[in-house]
Amino acid sequence: MPTPPRSARRAVELFVATFRNPQTRGQRRTYMEEFLLFLAGALATSERELLTSDLLDEEAVTVWLTAAQRGATRRRTGMQGPHTAASVSAMAARTTTINGFSRHFGRPLNLPVPQATLANRLSPSEAVRTLRLLSGHPPAKMFSATWQRTVAVLALAVATRCGIADLHPLRLEDLELKRRPARVRIGEEHFPLDTLTTTILGRWLETHADLTAQEKDGAPHGLQGGQVQELWVTTAPGRPRAGQPARRPGLPAARRTLESAHRTLMMEALGSPLLLEQFCSIDPDEQPAGDGTARVNRAAAR
């Protein structure tokens, strides 16, 4: 096992670099950065002054996790306001992250990881009927292009029963809408797409092409150097940061952007915070033997 560096910042960088999967690496970085920022504030010091031993102090870790659970470290407003309590899944991810960090440097904390429960799933017919309802027109307070993208993500979730971790990395080449039957490639598998899903995706691809076009009305519009190949792109300008101008739409969309838009659509259109995984109905062939109560969904397992 590696010798812990003195600098907490350096230790975080070394730990994060051990993950090959970019999504896992991004999640671990997010929570370790959150811990660094929280601890620096609690100790009235700068992040550069923090030591690795500070991050391995169980009392400090407990204080951070407690604050995070009640929403004190939240950077985005939740459904119940700016200090919405963290979900069980988010707390499980934080705990797993700090357990991994401490184990990596030979001082395992072995904190108990909260166990998330799976949300009730819609039946296949309920999922399709709800998708059809949502695909009709955008809510009054939702930008049309954002609605089109969000419904497209939802349509793929319903058709494939795959969650956001599988759907976010998709690229344009993974869709074969002109093939009969149309299909999408996710990982090493191909999933057939019905007419409704194909129509929804075709609508989004037209908007995607407009958002990422290099010219619009004769003026420079998109990225220089070629079309954006990621399937999911931003639909509105980003926020100006550190004195830099706002980033234009049509850039690859972050996973959290897709998740936030999904929450907005659910609340604006249905008035209910349905999760994307709840649309990933369970195939009867995938239910485990026994009384059927211990359902495990493939989307949640990933």
Side-chain angles (χ1 to χ4, degrees):
M1 64 189 65
T3 301
R6 177 178 174 80
S7 165
R9 167 65 65 183
R10 178 59 177 162
V12 168
E13 292 299 328
L14 292 173
F15 169 64
V16 169
T18 63
F19 296 95
R20 298 181 61 183
N21 184 287
Q23 295 183 27
T24 303
R25 188 167 60 244
Q27 183 192 70
R28 299 296 187 260
R29 181 184 298 279
T30 294
Y31 288 129
M32 291 307 300
E33 292 280 354
E34 179 186 280
F35 187 22
L36 278 172
L37 183 62
F38 174 83
L39 196 55
L43 298 177
T45 187
S46 70
E47 295 177 39
R48 294 189 303 274
E49 300 300 320
L50 291 176
L51 306 177
T52 302
S53 57
D54 295 324
L55 300 183
L56 295 171
D57 182 271
E58 186 168 353
E59 183 177 354
V61 170
T62 301
V63 172
W64 165 56
L65 292 176
T66 300
Q69 197 285 323
R70 67 171 185 268
T73 63
R74 180 180 289 277
R75 292 182 296 174
R76 297 174 182 269
T77 300
M79 292 182 179
Q80 283 76 49
H83 295 301
T84 301
S87 68
V88 176
S89 295
M91 292 309 301
R94 285 182 175 90
T95 308
T96 299
T97 297
I98 198 64
N99 277 345
F101 177 81
S102 62
R103 184 170 57 250
H104 180 70
F105 290 112
R107 303 179 188 177
L109 294 174
N110 295 325
L111 300 174
V113 178
Q115 296 300 308
T117 57
L118 297 180
N120 292 328
R121 301 298 196 269
L122 301 177
S123 69
S125 59
E126 288 174 332
V128 171
R129 284 198 298 268
T130 305
L131 172 62
R132 193 177 297 277
L133 171 68
L134 294 171
S135 67
H137 56 81
K141 296 182 180 180
M142 195 169 194
F143 187 42
S144 179
T146 306
W147 161 73
Q148 291 177 14
R149 184 191 65 201
T150 306
V151 172
V153 175
L154 182 59
L156 282 176
V158 172
T160 66
R161 303 193 305 281
C162 290
I164 193 65
D166 292 313
L167 300 180
H168 176 251
L170 290 178
R171 296 171 63 83
L172 294 174
E173 64 200 40
D174 294 319
L175 288 182
E176 299 180 51
L177 300 189
K178 294 183 179 180
R179 187 182 183 277
R180 291 294 177 267
R183 67 183 186 180
V184 61
R185 182 182 65 226
I186 299 178
E188 299 300 320
E189 295 185 71
H190 285 90
F191 297 84
L193 302 176
D194 59 22
T195 302
L196 174 61
T197 303
T198 302
T199 300
I200 291 171
L201 289 169
R203 180 174 61 189
W204 166 243
L205 289 182
E206 292 179 2
T207 299
H208 182 291
D210 184 60
L211 289 168
T212 59
Q214 293 193 40
E215 288 190 359
K216 186 175 183 181
D217 299 328
H221 176 60
L223 280 179
Q224 300 302 311
Q227 185 183 37
V228 177
Q229 293 302 308
E230 286 80 2
L231 179 57
W232 314 118
V233 298
T234 56
T235 56
R239 297 177 182 177
R241 297 180 184 275
Q244 298 297 315
R247 302 182 73 190
R248 66 162 190 81
L251 298 172
R255 173 173 168 170
R256 63 176 178 272
T257 298
L258 304 184
E259 292 171 333
S260 176
H262 176 83
R263 290 193 296 268
T264 298
L265 177 61
M266 294 302 102
M267 294 305 296
E268 292 292 335
L270 301 178
S272 176
L274 286 174
L275 303 174
L276 184 68
E277 69 180 42
Q278 292 180 259
F279 289 85
C280 302
S281 56
I282 299 175
D283 190 296
D285 293 336
E286 293 178 349
Q287 293 193 34
D291 60 7
T293 58
R295 295 183 173 185
V296 178
N297 180 272
R298 68 182 294 166
R302 294 180 179 180

